[in-house]
Amino acid sequence: MATLPLTPAFAEQPVDRPPLATGPQVSLEAGAPPRQGLEQWLQTVSTAARSLNYSGVFITQRGEEISTSSLVHYVLPQGHFERIETLDGQRRIMVSLNDQVRTSWPDYRLTLIDNQAGQASFPRLLKSTDGEVDRNYKLERGGLERCAGYECRMSTLLPRDDLRWGYRLWSLPDSQLLVKAQTLDADGHVIDQVAFTELKIHVHPRQNLVRESLHQPPGYAVEKMKVVPVSLRSQGWALSSHVPGFKTVGVFRRSMSVGGKSSEVLQWLLSDGLASVSIFVQPAADLAEPVPPEQRVGGTLALSRRIGESWLTVMGAVPERTLRRISDAVVRVQ
């Protein structure tokens, strides 16, 4: 199966993990959260992922590809600490403290430092807080099911149109911490999923692990990714038409130097509150080899094309019609 291009932009932008949710009007049955709007509940889910200390192992399945990773999350006096390490395939360790992310590849003795945390990912999921979720999705609540050794509340998030996928999620009834998530196509089939197979909550921080993780190992080449917020107008790009529900949530200029060669990529983020689409624009001359016009991994699709002297790649875990509408609408305005 084709893999997504490992340009600097893609290298540090893991494919968005499946979003999930639970309901707008929920009853006060045992284990159910209090009555609140859907977006408020999702904020509770995301807050639990940031405010609790937990560790575990989770699997991610996208199409035929399955990977396993360990995860540790601590709330420390100096901020939010997280460490994710792949347990199969190429070894990769991502360590974040607040907004700084350091990704290391021990096999290559290479470390990339990013001054901006990535998009919300498992077990976090909410990407915007302006009411878009309630307008784009509705919730059906299910019963209790056992996941990773815990009784979890299952909920299904249904799209209100055909421009986004549906989601099924399992969360702890008390804290609302997300334990398992599935992305569903229009027929209800599972496209992608991510789930804890082992999970411990309210763990005590392992200070030795924190110290070792934050210490840069000797002998590694260190590259720094500089991420600067910019205005879309100043960059000379726009959408000729908008896809209902999707709004711009960030525009960034990402620059770095690898092997003495500098490269810059414009990253433009759109979201409907849960699902997100990334638009990457970079000089065509910077590409070492041609990028395929279409690549797919599970429910994530990437579409690429040339616009003048720029190379455009639009990527997201959304229906193909949605991604093509967004890609076709990107225009140069300078």
Side-chain angles (χ1 to χ4, degrees), residues 50 72-84 94-103 113-118 124 207 210-211 213-215:
R50 287 183 56 81
V72 173
H73 181 273
Y74 300 142
V75 181
L76 305 173
Q78 59 266 47
H80 296 272
F81 169 86
E82 189 167 272
R83 183 184 188 276
I84 301 175
M94 297 180 64
V95 177
S96 63
L97 181 62
N98 297 321
D99 288 336
Q100 186 178 86
V101 182
R102 190 174 69 233
T103 305
I113 298 176
D114 195 331
N115 67 329
Q116 183 195 56
R124 298 180 297 277
Q207 296 298 338
V210 175
R211 286 193 297 270
S213 299
L214 295 178
H215 175 70

Side-chain angles (χ1 to χ4, degrees), residues 217-234:
Y220 275 54
V222 178
E223 305 289 352
K224 292 186 177 181
M225 173 81 73
K226 185 177 181 181
V227 182
V228 179
V230 295
S231 70
L232 193 59
R233 181 184 298 272
S234 70

